[in-house]
Each structure stands twice: as C-alpha cells, then as structure tokens.
Amino acid sequence: SSSATTLPISSTVSELWHAERDSGTTRALLLAVRNEVCTLLAQRAAAGDVAADFAALADAVPRDAACYVLYREAGARWVLVSYIPDSA
C-alpha cells in the first residue's frame, strides 16, 4: 500500500505554468513551499542557450532554503530540479 500527498500550488504558479508550459519565453520558474503551498520565488526568461541559462540560475537559487526549479530545456520539454542545501 502506498499513499501520496498533493502539494497545492498558488494561483500565480498555476497561471504561469499554463501560459508558459507549451510555448513562451520563460526558461525557469523557481518555487518554494510556503505555508504548505507551492509559491513563486522568481521567474527567469530565456537569455541565452540552455546550458548558459542553467548556469546563471546559481545566482537566483536561495543559499539556505530548499526550492524547486521548473526548467525549460527546449520547446515544451521541462525538467523539475529540487535543491536542498545542507543548511535546510
């Protein structure tokens, strides 16, 4: 037997995801869980190639707090990255 927990997302994240999911200019959505709701920390536009934009995320990720990154690789292909620093 297994159980799953659903994490609610904010309306802002939901609206951005639906607007950008299949096309758009967003390269990454940085998300955090606040009061048990997935909320938006930052939205990053595509500025260069996929690898350069990913490397540039290092400046946007919080140093001492966990977060998720929804990252657009190419077209409609997205990757979910979880970042959990030792201090979290």
Side-chain angles (χ1 to χ4, degrees), residues 29-73:
L29 298 174
L30 282 78
L31 311 170
V33 178
R34 302 281 189 254
N35 299 318
E36 299 187 28
V37 175
C38 190
T39 60
L40 183 68
L41 288 177
Q43 178 180 6
R44 302 288 293 251
D49 66 34
V50 172
D53 286 349
F54 190 79
L57 278 177
D59 294 334
V61 173
R63 296 285 173 239
D64 57 354
C67 73
Y68 296 102
V69 179
L70 278 170
Y71 190 79
R72 183 195 310 265
E73 286 191 327

Side-chain angles (χ1 to χ4, degrees), residues 65-85:
C67 73
Y68 296 102
V69 179
L70 278 170
Y71 190 79
R72 183 195 310 265
E73 286 191 327
R77 183 172 177 198
W78 290 81
V79 176
L80 176 66
V81 178
S82 62
Y83 172 73
I84 305 170

